[in-house]
Amino acid sequence: MADDGRAKRLKSSQDGGVVHVTDAELRGRVAELASENEKLRQENRQHAGGIAELESEIAKLRQENAQLRRRAGGIAALESENEHLRRRAQQQGGIHEVLPVIVATTVTVDLSRVDTSIVSHVTSFLGTARELLNLALACKSFGWRQPVSTLNWSLVEEVARQAVSSMSTDAEMSSLPRYVRGTATWLSILHKHEHLLMFDVLLGAYIEHRNVDKTTVSAAEGVYDRRSVAVSSGYVMKSGAHYAEFLINGYPYIGIVRPMPGLDASAYQGEFDFFGSVFYTDFLAQRSDDWGDSIGNVHACEFSCYDGEMGWTDWDDDDIFNGWEGMEGYQSDDTVGMLLNLDRGTLTVYKNNRRLGVMKDGLSGPYCWYVSLVKSQLLTGAVTIKRGTLPNSDGATAT
């Protein structure tokens, strides 16, 4: 019998007979089984992924359940304490209303038990009065007076007091407001000390602050040969020695003048000068007892940066302009130093840290720093005032 090239296998039929199966049929069956097996594997992997997700969800639910149990335990404890308090109130004939359950609690720190010097040292790193004020507003323990403290003010106020005391000279302290409970706080005094020298009053229409900075003034743009004045009226020098520096541009006049807090700056909208006789009646109307005697009294005294000439006036009969031993002119970007020593009654002038000499003596009573500016076609006058370090010993400390 001829071979057709197809191998045959024997298999049993259902009736027990023998059935012949070819290799192709076997391979087809194996492929079917392999495909079925792969489907089962995929289903198994899908089931395994679902089981992992379920296990993760179960773990989350267990955690939430534990948190709820802890919270329930806390609430139960509070309810038990509430019930205990209610029973005590009933026994004492007090309030019979059930108190509400409070879940949230606040933890506070009693700063009265902390040494004041430690708190003062920590808060001193804040530096400015504004930062200390923010601290006082943020935390009442710093901003309120401590009931058990020997201080008459809060911890923040104590830090401000220490800052003022450590940074101020005796002369400056005499010019600062005095602490009065309910009127002047140590924070306000510290803020005043931080802004001792600035031109807070402008008199005349031809002067203005530069870049909103009150420590610097300049002659108004577009106007020539019109004089106006800027006064540091917030810092009144009544006693002791005071030193300030003025960085100049152009040829301003720099000097001292009587404090006149009642003078209405808005009434002077043209040219203005402390040596303008038309204003003398207004100036003398501002006289106070501490000005001293009217005869021979120096109410304004100034230094000309152009040639170093000195001028002074009593706002009456005498307007004196003359030279003095150390007179010397200045150039733009030079620094004028002025030392007002009210213990000696002298006004001393410095040029770039070099002492020129005593320009005026016989001074007494209160004064403020001022500058007088005029713009020319060649130069725009400008002056910046600042606290300075006295270049050598002259019986004073710097303002």
Side-chain angles (χ1 to χ4, degrees):
M1 182 177 183
D3 186 0
D4 59 3
R6 292 178 294 176
K8 294 183 179 181
R9 300 287 188 271
L10 297 179
K11 65 176 182 179
S12 300
S13 63
Q14 293 180 351
D15 57 0
V18 177
V19 180
H20 296 278
V21 180
T22 64
D23 289 342
E25 289 176 335
L26 287 175
R27 283 194 294 269
R29 182 58 179 163
V30 169
E32 290 178 2
L33 292 174
S35 176
E36 185 69 22
N37 188 34
E38 181 61 28
K39 290 180 181 179
L40 292 173
R41 287 178 179 175
Q42 290 178 357
E43 292 178 0
N44 187 39
R45 284 195 293 268
Q46 291 175 355
H47 290 309
I51 292 172
E53 291 179 359
L54 289 174
E55 289 177 346
S56 176
E57 187 67 24
I58 291 171
K60 292 180 181 179
L61 291 174
R62 286 175 177 172
Q63 291 178 355
E64 293 178 0
N65 188 33
Q67 292 176 355
L68 290 173
R69 286 180 179 177
R70 287 193 293 269
R71 184 176 297 179
I75 294 174
L78 289 172
E79 289 176 341
S80 175
E81 183 177 357
N82 188 26
E83 178 64 20
H84 176 68
L85 293 173
R86 186 186 64 79
R87 290 177 180 176
R88 285 183 58 184
Q90 289 176 344
Q91 292 173 359
Q92 297 173 2
I95 301 173
H96 296 275
E97 182 181 355
V98 177
L99 297 176
V101 175
I102 301 175
V103 177
T105 58
T106 302
V107 179
T108 59
V109 178
D110 184 6
L111 291 179
S112 63
R113 298 184 179 183
V114 181
D115 187 82
T116 304
S117 62
I118 297 177
V119 179
S120 299
H121 178 70
V122 173
T123 54
S124 65
F125 289 99
L126 296 176
T128 67
R130 182 175 296 277
E131 290 173 338
L132 289 173
L133 175 60
N134 290 336
L135 175 64
L137 295 174
C139 179
K140 68 179 182 180
S141 297
F142 289 98
W144 288 6
R145 180 178 179 271
Q146 302 297 314
V148 297
S149 174
T150 58
L151 299 176
N152 291 322
W153 42 76
S154 67
L155 292 173
V156 164
E157 284 283 274
E158 172 61 14
V159 174
R161 185 196 67 80
Q162 293 181 13
V164 172
S165 301
S166 63
M167 294 187 296
S168 304
T169 65
D170 292 340
E172 289 174 345
M173 289 296 290
S174 67
S175 301
L176 291 169
R178 295 188 178 277
Y179 172 83
V180 179
R181 187 171 182 83
T183 303
T185 65
W186 281 112
L187 276 177
S188 65
I189 298 172
L190 176 60
H191 179 76
K192 179 69 175 178
H193 181 268
E194 293 169 350
H195 301 84
L196 271 182
L197 298 182
M198 62 180 181
F199 297 116
D200 53 337
V201 173
L202 303 182
L203 298 165
Y206 309 110
I207 194 168
E208 58 192 9
H209 291 118
R210 177 172 291 179
N211 299 325
V212 199
D213 179 8
K214 290 189 177 182
T215 64
T216 301
V217 288
S218 60
E221 292 293 334
V223 181
Y224 299 108
D225 302 323
R226 293 292 186 269
R227 189 173 299 279
S228 291
V229 171
V231 183
S232 181
S233 68
Y235 182 62
V236 180
M237 300 171 285
K238 300 178 181 179
S239 61
H242 307 262
Y243 181 77
E245 291 184 343
F246 304 83
L247 178 63
I248 68 169
N249 181 276
Y251 297 111
Y253 292 83
I254 301 173
I256 55 174
V257 67
R258 296 297 190 195
M260 294 179 284
L263 201 65
D264 183 9
S266 64
Y268 307 99
Q269 295 301 312
E271 192 171 12
F272 186 92
D273 190 359
F274 285 131
F275 287 79
S277 58
V278 67
F279 305 120
Y280 286 176
T281 301
D282 295 349
F283 299 159
L284 292 175
Q286 299 296 316
R287 177 190 296 277
S288 60
D289 293 340
D290 55 0
W291 282 22
D293 298 333
S294 61
I295 300 176
N297 203 12
V298 180
H299 295 323
C301 179
E302 67 182 21
F303 170 82
S304 170
C305 291
Y306 175 71
D307 56 10
E309 186 180 61
M310 182 269 294
W312 69 270
T313 176
D314 64 357
W315 291 335
D316 191 5
D317 297 328
D318 293 326
D319 290 341
I320 308 299
F321 298 90
N322 55 31
W324 53 287
E325 183 178 353
M327 65 179 292
E328 185 175 321
Y330 281 67
Q331 300 293 326
S332 290
D333 296 329
D334 281 343
T335 298
V336 179
M338 285 216 167
L339 170 64
L340 175 63
N341 192 327
L342 291 171
D343 295 334
R344 300 179 181 179
T346 59
L347 181 61
T348 305
V349 181
Y350 294 80
K351 179 179 181 180
N352 299 328
N353 294 329
R354 177 169 57 88
R355 186 180 186 273
L356 299 184
V358 175
M359 184 179 74
K360 189 74 178 80
D361 57 11
L363 303 173
S364 64
Y367 292 100
C368 298
W369 300 115
Y370 84 89
V371 298
S372 179
L373 292 175
V374 62
K375 181 181 180 181
S376 68
Q377 292 185 353
L378 298 178
L379 294 171
T380 299
V383 176
T384 298
I385 187 173
K386 66 177 183 177
R387 302 176 72 186
T389 302
L390 198 62
N392 53 45
S393 177
D394 202 344
T397 52
T399 294

